[in-house]
Amino acid sequence: MGHSGKGHQHDFAERFSDPGTIAEYARHSTRLPLRNRGLWSALRRQNPAGVWLDLGCGPGLTTIEAAVRFPGLKLIGIDVSEHMIGYAREQASSAGLADRVTFAVGDVTDPSVLSAHAPADGIVSTYTLHHFDDAVEAIRTMASALAPGAPLLLCDFRRVMWLSRWLPTADAYRPPEAAALMTQAGMTNVDVASHFPYAMTIIGRKAP
């Protein structure tokens, strides 16, 4: 597929292991322009309801914003970093959303972790795809937590070489590659959209 195949999930967790570093990461994320461009319209088209998982949620920024944008939705954010989860819980509590947004520590590529939260009505995962050692297996594992026919929505960087000096776009997939990963993982109704200047959304559904 032309992807390096590097896996950074646990390295990422170790890198952000103190409150100051996590808070700075969260601030930087909010300043990154157009980070979630396309995500919210893609999610809105899924008519989200019930309980959704946010896998690899990091400091919980997207999880919390999703709860604000979709008041009828309940969300469970899962991340391998206990420090990120601690920060996310504090933010949800401060936002008054602890009744609809919860967080749990766990490796989102571990089926036993996700089985505790299955069957989910939907899954969203942002900027995780390029981190996985085996993206197809990671998608299969995510999908195992879905109810039949439920959607999996990924938002990630796409490969844009001129931006790789500033963002990890060199490690990202091209849209056709991302679509192929979803198909290989057994997802149906796969759709990929590019969003200027560096993002893409990839949507698939678990087979009924």
Side-chain angles (χ1 to χ4, degrees), residues 8 15 129 137 141 161 163 171 195:
H8 308 294
R15 179 181 169 193
L129 185 63
E137 188 58 33
T141 301
M161 297 309 297
L163 279 170
D171 285 339
H195 308 287

Side-chain angles (χ1 to χ4, degrees), residues 47-65:
N47 297 314
V51 178
W52 278 54
L53 307 181
D54 182 3
L55 301 183
C57 66
L61 303 181
T62 300
T63 326
I64 291 168
E65 186 170 353

Side-chain angles (χ1 to χ4, degrees), residues 102-142:
T102 58
F103 294 95
V105 177
D107 184 342
V108 300
T109 64
D110 183 345
S112 67
V113 170
L114 298 189
S115 65
H117 305 284
D121 297 299
I123 288 174
V124 63
S125 187
T126 58
Y127 296 92
T128 58
L129 185 63
H130 67 284
H131 285 298
F132 296 126
D133 289 307
D134 185 335
V136 171
E137 188 58 33
I139 293 169
R140 284 195 187 111
T141 301
M142 291 181 184

Side-chain angles (χ1 to χ4, degrees), residues 25-27 29-30 35-36 40 54 57-66 87-88 91 103:
Y25 171 80
R27 284 192 293 270
S29 296
T30 60
R35 177 178 174 83
N36 287 333
W40 303 120
D54 182 3
C57 66
L61 303 181
T62 300
T63 326
I64 291 168
E65 186 170 353
Y87 180 91
Q91 298 306 303
F103 294 95

Side-chain angles (χ1 to χ4, degrees), residues 46 52 119-123 143 145-152 187-188 204-208:
Q46 302 307 306
W52 278 54
D121 297 299
I123 288 174
L146 286 170
L152 168 62
M187 304 301 290
T188 65
R205 288 185 176 271
K206 185 175 181 177

